[in-house]
Amino acid sequence: MEVYRDLAGLRAALSEARAGGRDVALVPTMGALHAGHIALVEAARRPGTLVVASIFVNPKQFGANEDLSRYPRKEVSDIAMLTDAGCDLLWLPPVEQMYPAGFATNVSVSGVSEGWDGAARPGHFDGVATVVAKLFNQVRPTRAYFGEKDFQQLAVIRRMVADLDFDIEITGVPTQREDDGLALSSRNVYLLPEERQKAVALPRALGVAARAVLAGTDPAKALADATATLTAAGFTVDYVALVDAETLQSDPTPGQRRQLLAAARLGNTRLIDNLAVDPL
Ligand code: AMP
């Protein structure tokens, strides 16, 4: 796997690949890779495709009191994992390359960015949209892969791609989970052993709520029950919501696919998860 840390080198390598007839697929990440990220790389791999992963811990998507300085960084093992997964090229831009002095542009997607994590983390999705727009212009992929784990992020990216005419096919990859159901996340390393045991209550509560809603329970009651279960398990709940899977508006219109979204904190660690309610 080739590793690039400067934009000119990256662009030269990509031009050469394109001239050789290869398609370019992009997997953006913040590193501290796990099997969830690797599932994106595997989804991106196809004959004739150059798979590019990026690792960039994007300061613009962290709030002032969030975990930017302690976010896990594992470059050596990340490179080994990507190489094993058959990734062709790694883009590792330094922060000064992404945001040089004088950088003044912000990409803001209204609507889908506004509720849920957008409300809990002001500015977060502007940071995500801005960096992903830059990555798209730097790498110019024909396809890009994002995890359904970050369900609202995926909706924000899809909206941005449609609105700004990026000629890029976006694929959402199903959430990869531990054996007990906890969604894989780079932030799971923050969990103390007893918190890790409690964390499984999050996917379980979503499963119970999804089954209840499908069985006809009033959604408001199912959401209140999930919140109570999580609180009893030691979580501080930011939100548990039933939304339209496309618009992310609550009170989905009948006939539209519905998704449960949740964010809750265990000690200093904030976990998010989501689950489709309606069978495909
Ligand atoms: P991150 O490094 O956390 O910014 O994530 C990079 C990409 O990997 C995003 O598109 C995430 O949605 C995706 N991702 C993270 N965790 C998982 C998971 N457990 N399953 C599938 N995709 C994931």
Side-chain angles (χ1 to χ4, degrees):
M1 184 178 68
E2 294 174 75
V3 181
Y4 290 92
R5 296 170 197 269
D6 73 291
L7 188 54
L10 174 80
R11 285 191 159 144
L14 292 172
S15 295
E16 201 183 312
R18 278 192 203 95
R22 290 177 89 181
D23 242 13
V24 176
L26 175 65
V27 176
T29 82
M30 296 206 301
L33 301 181
H34 50 65
H37 300 108
I38 297 307
L40 305 190
V41 172
E42 280 165 2
R45 282 180 57 187
R46 284 191 203 166
T49 293
L50 182 92
V51 178
V52 179
S54 62
I55 297 181
F56 181 62
V57 182
N58 175 31
K60 286 199 188 294
Q61 70 188 71
F62 288 77
N65 301 316
E66 294 185 357
D67 56 344
L68 174 62
S69 60
R70 67 184 186 116
Y71 195 83
R73 285 160 171 89
K74 296 185 169 180
E75 199 175 295
V76 173
S77 60
D78 287 350
I79 289 175
M81 282 177 77
L82 289 170
T83 305
D84 285 352
C87 182
D88 298 297
L89 192 155
L90 173 60
W91 171 222
L92 262 177
V95 75
E96 319 78 64
Q97 170 94 75
M98 293 301 259
Y99 303 121
F103 185 92
T105 299
N106 184 50
V107 180
S108 189
V109 181
S110 55
V112 282
S113 283
E114 283 163 20
W116 321 125
D117 256 36
R121 305 180 67 189
H124 170 67
F125 287 119
D126 283 15
V128 169
T130 303
V131 83
V132 172
K134 280 183 69 82
L135 290 167
F136 284 174
N137 283 326
Q138 292 166 340
V139 176
R140 295 199 294 116
T142 51
R143 294 181 273 121
Y145 292 78
F146 294 85
E148 288 180 352
K149 151 87 174 16
D150 298 279
F151 199 82
Q152 190 173 8
Q153 168 173 284
L154 178 57
V156 169
I157 302 296
R158 287 191 194 283
R159 187 74 254 163
M160 178 186 79
V161 163
D163 290 354
L164 297 184
D165 304 311
F166 280 108
D167 193 8
I168 301 174
E169 181 189 309
I170 303 299
T171 298
V173 175
T175 303
Q176 309 295 305
R177 298 178 178 279
E178 302 276 11
D179 288 344
D180 67 357
L182 179 66
L184 295 175
S185 165
S186 306
R187 289 189 165 96
N188 289 352
V189 296
Y190 298 151
L191 294 168
L192 302 171
E194 62 271 25
E195 291 172 341
R196 172 62 189 85
Q197 286 195 327
K198 292 176 183 169
V200 68
L202 181 56
R204 284 193 186 147
L206 291 181
V208 170
R211 286 190 292 277
V213 169
L214 268 185
T217 303
D218 173 11
K221 177 172 180 341
L223 297 176
D225 288 351
T227 303
T229 304
L230 290 170
T231 307
F235 279 92
T236 306
V237 176
D238 276 359
Y239 59 84
V240 182
L242 179 69
V243 304
D244 181 301
E246 255 168 52
T247 63
L248 301 199
Q249 299 294 309
S250 47
D251 299 323
T253 358
Q256 296 299 312
R257 281 193 312 114
R258 294 167 296 177
Q259 199 82 11
L260 284 161
L261 305 181
R265 280 168 285 132
L266 265 181
N268 292 325
T269 307
R270 185 170 184 278
L271 300 177
I272 59 171
D273 203 346
N274 67 88
L275 192 65
V277 171
D278 303 295
L280 281 178

